[in-house]
Amino acid sequence: MSTRFVSCDTSTNNSGLALFVDGKYKKHILISKSKIKNTDERINAMCHDIFMKLDEWKPNVLWIEHPQGHGSNVSMVSKLSEILGAVRIWCVLNDCEYNEINPSEWRKYAGFKQGSGNDRGNLKQMSVQYIWDKLGICEGDDVADSIAIGYAVINYFKEKEQKDED
């Protein structure tokens, strides 16, 4: 049986999902709900469309970016956590392994140079450039992050396998 995994960069406005089969990138999608002004309606619509795509792609493993937030954006992190919880339930109901990964961790395994000079905008641009260099795909940062997360997970397991062999 092949391994089908989906990597996700979710938000309440735009979410990027990428499908990998046996460690190879296959396709991606951007789900945009930014035109829906009511946050609860937007979250419901986002979850619905993510579920529809997961039903179609039928992954057996899922990796999703763990929400980060401090200070003034705590309420938005709480709303984002609702999406992660819904995706986790989808995974439980569909026998799909669920995993979360911190942004600093996936960026490390994707090979991004991280430091104090890298603000959010710079990190997003790094993702866009990374996917352009790797696949020749020019997409926004939500899609780029979702694909980069997938490659980071692959790199993590390759590195782990190499350490186990040594």
Side-chain angles (χ1 to χ4, degrees), residues 17-69:
L17 281 73
L19 173 66
F20 291 78
V21 178
D22 293 332
K24 293 184 176 30
Y25 165 81
K26 292 298 179 185
K27 56 181 137 182
H28 66 270
I29 187 170
L30 175 68
I31 299 172
S32 180
K33 298 298 171 192
S34 59
K35 292 182 180 175
I36 301 173
K37 299 303 172 203
N38 179 283
T39 304
D40 289 331
E41 290 175 20
R42 193 170 62 244
I43 289 171
N44 290 344
M46 180 64 70
C47 289
H48 176 270
D49 285 6
I50 290 172
F51 291 175
M52 297 300 289
K53 191 50 61 179
L54 294 175
D55 285 343
E56 177 186 332
W57 287 354
K58 298 179 182 1
N60 47 11
V61 179
L62 183 133
W63 285 84
I64 193 166
E65 185 180 65
H66 182 78
Q68 302 293 299

Side-chain angles (χ1 to χ4, degrees), residues 25-149:
Y25 165 81
K26 292 298 179 185
K27 56 181 137 182
H28 66 270
I29 187 170
L30 175 68
I31 299 172
S32 180
K33 298 298 171 192
S34 59
K35 292 182 180 175
I36 301 173
K37 299 303 172 203
N38 179 283
T39 304
D40 289 331
E41 290 175 20
R42 193 170 62 244
I43 289 171
N44 290 344
M46 180 64 70
C47 289
H48 176 270
D49 285 6
I50 290 172
F51 291 175
M52 297 300 289
K53 191 50 61 179
L54 294 175
D55 285 343
E56 177 186 332
W57 287 354
K58 298 179 182 1
N60 47 11
V61 179
L62 183 133
W63 285 84
I64 193 166
E65 185 180 65
H66 182 78
Q68 302 293 299
H70 310 285
S72 63
N73 68 350
V74 169
S75 72
M76 194 47 66
V77 170
S78 174
K79 294 296 184 186
L80 183 55
S81 294
E82 292 178 31
I83 296 172
L84 270 69
V87 170
R88 184 178 201 136
I89 290 169
W90 184 95
C91 287
V92 168
L93 294 175
N94 290 277
D95 197 27
C96 177
E97 179 184 317
Y98 175 88
N99 303 277
E100 292 184 19
I101 189 166
N102 288 317
S104 60
E105 189 176 9
W106 73 255
R107 288 184 178 114
K108 171 186 158 189
Y109 286 106
F112 291 17
K113 296 199 183 333
Q114 300 180 79
S116 59
N118 289 326
D119 62 8
R120 186 175 187 275
N122 190 25
L123 291 169
K124 294 294 188 181
Q125 185 54 44
M126 286 174 146
S127 282
V128 170
Q129 187 64 50
Y130 178 81
I131 298 311
W132 173 254
D133 293 345
K134 198 156 201 63
L135 299 171
I137 295 173
C138 185
E139 291 284 353
D141 58 80
D142 299 299
V143 166
D145 281 355
S146 71
I147 298 170
I149 289 167

Side-chain angles (χ1 to χ4, degrees), residues 7-19:
S7 50
C8 308
D9 176 45
T10 55
S11 81
T12 61
N13 288 308
N14 298 301
S15 293
L17 281 73
L19 173 66

